[in-house]
């Protein structure tokens, strides 16, 4: 029997597969498409996702293929300087096309031993008390202990489970693609700057070699979302919005996306889980979608692995929904708010001007930046230290960096006092005695996802908290 089948080979599925493999879990990834898609939906990674890549030793690979940009306020396209002393060692945005992110995560998953099967479409599933049986389009049946549906906004897994996906349908659509233009770079830059003064859903930016990424509002919402976007449609909308079509020609690819906002009623059904766009869809404002899915996987992977390996405490799998569902709800809320603020109607424009004034206050600006970059995420782990439930930034230690100690995906007790121990849990939790001027608490216990599960200096209190996340002592 396979331990875990992951349906969907996008960034969420590949990240989840890699996290499971860190713990020796047998993983099979089923991806319907025979080849990765050429569409560049996402153009970058936010701070929390950058931290995750660093925690797993992947960041150098991503930095080599991307470009760092100073972190600044950009809520609904309202520009503001970054506030001082953001709680991260990675205060930047990493510009990197999703096609590259997809490839790097797929390479990582394969390197750690995930069995990736492309051209394998899941069409049916059933589950019982011992596992999940999935059926593929070619009639193949596979059996696994658990199934993770990471198969996108039109998730087959979610549909087969009958999980509700309430929310709002798309009200507007945007055309997207990569094209060549005959207009001069100077003309393009001048027109784009003028149009974007009022139309924040418009853009035409150079990608190199004469190719431009075009983003322009569509005329309406297509009845059939699978209808191909045509170059004539792009030309017509560019004329409508910008007064010129820039002589666009020779498209590499064209697509469309909408602003539908939907959240799965539940993230778990027995032995089946939903993650990424299968669990939530929302407008792309702020570039949070890919990041949200990767962070779902980072939360879920170690919990399934702990269950497969036999040391998970009761209820651990249920914390996936209780922790991640509210995070997605907040992203849906802020993306819908941003879409309203990007409307050209007088009412939303008035609210936009007011918010632009408020963003001038540092705490407002900080609050919105931390929301978009997921630095503000704090899981509700009950009463305790201010750090409890938060991820810990990459603090500098006397003998290195914190994130260098997290590469194996295990729990970690960072002990500045040298008086604590994790006897009974050493197969699951590393104990590191080191000092850091950036940490003002004697010791912290980190879960495999880097969130603080305990902070303090009392051994008995530590022993009382270890079983909650790491099961019974040996």
């Amino acid at each position: 029997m396979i331990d875990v089948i992951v349906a969907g080979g996008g960034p969420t599925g590949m990240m989840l597969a890699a996290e499971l493999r860190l713990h020796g879990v047998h993983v099979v990834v089923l991806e319907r498409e025979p080849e990765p898609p050429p569409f560049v939906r996402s153009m970058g990674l936010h701070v929390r996702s950058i931290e995750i890549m660093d925690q797993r030793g992947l960041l150098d690979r991503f930095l080599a293929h991307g470009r760092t940009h100073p972190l600044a306020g950009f809520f609904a396209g309202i520009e503001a300087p970054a506030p001082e002393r953001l709680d991260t060692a990675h205060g930047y945005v990493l510009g990197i096309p999703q096609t590259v992110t997809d490839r790097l995560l797929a390479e990582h998953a394969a390197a750690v031993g995930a069995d990736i099967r492309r051209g394998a479409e899941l069409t049916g599933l059933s589950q019982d008390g011992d596992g999940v049986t999935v059926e593929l389009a070619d009639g193949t049946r596979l059996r696994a202990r658990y199934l993770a549906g990471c198969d996108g906004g039109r998730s087959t897994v979610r549909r087969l489970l009958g999980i509700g996906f309430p929310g709002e349908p798309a009200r507007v659509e945007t055309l997207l693609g990569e094209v060549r233009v005959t207009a001069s770079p100077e003309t393009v830059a001048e027109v784009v700057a003028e149009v974007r003064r009022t139309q924040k859903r418009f853009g035409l930016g150079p990608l190199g070699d004469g190719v431009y990424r075009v983003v322009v509002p569509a005329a309406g919402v297509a009845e059939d979302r699978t209808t191909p976007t045509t170059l004539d449609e792009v030309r017509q909308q560019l004329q409508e919005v910008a007064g010129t079509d820039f002589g666009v020609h020779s498209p590499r690819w064209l697509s469309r996306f909408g602003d539908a906002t939907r959240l799965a009623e539940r993230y778990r059904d027995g032995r089946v889980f939903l993650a990424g766009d299968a669990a939530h869809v929302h407008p792309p404002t702020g570039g949070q979608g890919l990041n949200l899915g990767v962070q779902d996987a980072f939360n879920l992977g170690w919990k399934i692995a702990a269950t497969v390996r036999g040391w998970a405490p009761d209820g651990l799998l249920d914390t996936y929904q209780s922790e991640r569902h509210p995070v997605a709800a907040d992203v849906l809320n802020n993306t819908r708010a941003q879409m309203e603020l990007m409307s050209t109607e007088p009412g939303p424009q008035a609210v936009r001007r007011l918010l632009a004034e408020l963003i001038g206050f540092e705490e407002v600006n900080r609050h919105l930046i931390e929301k978009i970059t997921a630095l503000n995420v704090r899981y509700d782990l009950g009463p305790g230290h201010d750090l409890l439930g938060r991820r810990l930034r990459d603090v500098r230690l006397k003998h290195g960096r914190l994130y260098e100690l997290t590469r194996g995906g295990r729990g970690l007790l960072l002990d500045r006092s040298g008086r604590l121990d994790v006897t009974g849990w050493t197969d699951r939790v590393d104990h590191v005695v080191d000092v850091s001027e950036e940490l003002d608490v004697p010791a912290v216990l980190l879960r495999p996802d880097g969130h603080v599960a305990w902070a303090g200096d009392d051994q008995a209190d530590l022993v009382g908290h270890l079983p909650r996340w790491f099961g019974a002592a040996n």
Side-chain angles (χ1 to χ4, degrees):
M1 181 185 288
I2 300 165
D3 288 329
V4 182
I5 292 174
V6 176
T12 301
M14 292 301 185
M15 189 73 206
L16 179 57
E19 286 297 290
L20 292 165
R21 284 299 304 150
L22 283 181
H23 300 273
V25 173
H26 178 201
V27 182
V28 172
V29 179
L30 304 177
E31 168 52 47
R32 179 182 63 185
E33 301 298 330
E35 298 293 336
F39 303 141
V40 183
R41 295 283 191 179
S42 167
M43 289 296 292
L45 297 180
H46 285 315
V47 175
R48 181 56 190 142
S49 296
I50 293 169
E51 290 182 339
I52 285 173
M53 300 311 162
D54 195 8
Q55 285 179 255
R56 293 299 182 258
L58 302 174
L59 184 55
D60 286 347
R61 300 181 212 178
F62 280 80
L63 291 175
H65 290 85
R67 178 177 297 179
T68 61
H69 303 280
L71 185 61
F74 49 86
F75 192 86
I78 301 173
E79 297 181 1
E84 296 181 0
R85 297 181 301 278
L86 278 172
D87 183 34
T88 181
H90 298 284
Y92 54 88
V93 176
L94 180 61
I96 185 169
Q98 182 173 339
T99 49
V100 178
T101 296
D102 288 350
R103 176 173 61 82
L104 293 177
L105 289 178
E107 290 174 353
H108 172 53
V112 294
D115 180 355
I116 301 170
R117 305 180 187 181
R118 296 191 181 275
E121 181 180 1
L122 184 152
T123 57
L125 71 87
S126 61
Q127 61 176 314
D128 52 42
D130 297 319
V132 184
T133 300
V134 303
E135 183 172 343
L136 307 187
D138 64 2
T140 300
R141 288 179 179 268
L142 299 174
R143 180 79 169 160
R145 297 183 185 184
Y146 294 96
L147 168 66
C150 306
D151 51 343
R154 298 181 180 89
S155 170
T156 298
V157 172
R158 187 188 65 237
R159 176 178 57 80
L160 292 172
L161 290 172
I163 293 178
F165 204 38
E168 304 172 29
R171 299 186 300 172
V172 298
E173 280 189 348
T174 304
L175 307 181
L176 176 70
E178 293 180 6
V179 297
R180 294 185 178 275
V181 304
T182 58
S184 69
E186 293 77 16
T187 298
V188 172
E190 180 181 347
V191 174
V192 169
E194 178 62 27
V195 174
R196 280 190 57 80
R197 292 176 61 184
T198 56
Q199 180 51 268
K200 300 300 182 181
R201 291 172 50 219
F202 171 81
L204 193 68
L207 297 175
D209 195 29
V211 177
Y212 283 73
R213 178 180 173 89
V214 59
V215 183
V216 62
V221 178
E223 290 186 14
D224 182 359
R225 294 293 307 282
T226 64
T227 301
T229 302
T230 66
L231 185 60
D232 284 343
E233 188 179 3
V234 172
R235 286 174 174 151
Q236 180 178 341
Q237 289 309 111
L238 286 172
Q239 285 282 2
E240 180 71 22
V241 175
T244 175
D245 65 8
F246 301 96
V248 295
H249 65 96
S250 306
R252 285 182 175 176
W253 57 267
L254 299 171
S255 184
R256 68 177 73 237
F257 61 86
D259 66 336
T261 303
R262 298 186 182 277
L263 181 60
E265 290 180 339
R266 60 189 187 278
Y267 281 14
R268 180 187 182 188
D269 186 310
R271 291 177 171 267
V272 187
F273 300 85
L274 300 178
D277 289 352
H280 40 69
V281 295
H282 53 83
T285 44
Q288 299 167 83
L290 182 151
N291 293 269
L292 183 61
V294 166
Q295 292 155 30
D296 284 347
F298 206 58
N299 181 283
L300 178 60
W302 71 275
K303 296 174 180 177
I304 296 180
T307 306
V308 171
R309 306 304 288 179
W311 58 259
D314 291 342
L316 182 64
L317 289 177
D318 291 328
T319 66
Y320 169 59
Q321 167 158 332
S322 65
E323 292 177 355
R324 295 304 299 172
H325 198 274
V327 173
D330 186 68
V331 170
L332 266 62
N333 188 61
N334 84 60
T335 52
R336 175 57 79 200
Q338 289 184 76
M339 286 298 293
E340 291 296 325
L341 291 168
M342 294 169 77
S343 167
T344 57
E345 294 297 316
Q349 283 293 303
V351 178
R352 181 184 181 87
R353 289 190 292 271
L354 176 60
L355 182 61
E357 293 179 18
L358 295 176
I359 286 178
F361 293 96
E362 181 173 326
E363 287 308 306
V364 175
N365 186 27
R366 180 186 301 274
H367 176 77
L368 293 177
I369 287 179
E370 290 182 346
K371 182 182 290 291
I372 296 294
T373 58
L375 288 179
N376 72 335
V377 172
R378 182 180 188 180
Y379 301 140
D380 183 6
L381 306 189
H385 193 278
D386 286 345
L387 288 174
L388 191 64
R390 298 186 184 277
R391 103 278 178 261
L392 193 61
R393 72 177 184 278
D394 184 25
V395 298
R396 288 170 293 183
L397 308 172
K398 183 177 180 180
H399 301 291
R401 300 189 293 120
L402 174 65
Y403 285 3
E404 292 174 339
L405 305 174
T406 65
R407 302 286 159 83
R410 291 160 52 86
L412 173 67
L413 176 66
L414 178 59
D415 179 8
R416 298 175 64 207
S417 71
R419 297 190 300 269
L420 302 172
D421 69 75
V422 291
T423 301
W425 289 273
T426 54
D427 60 326
R428 289 153 269 172
V429 180
D430 294 327
H431 180 201
V432 176
V433 177
D434 206 336
V435 294
S436 173
E437 296 180 357
E438 300 179 32
L439 199 60
D440 60 359
V441 64
V444 289
L445 175 66
L446 301 183
R447 307 188 320 187
D449 59 2
H451 282 256
V452 177
W454 173 86
D457 60 2
D458 184 82
Q459 177 68 31
D461 192 36
L462 170 62
V463 170
H465 280 78
L466 278 163
R468 178 179 178 184
W469 300 106
F470 299 101
N474 288 332

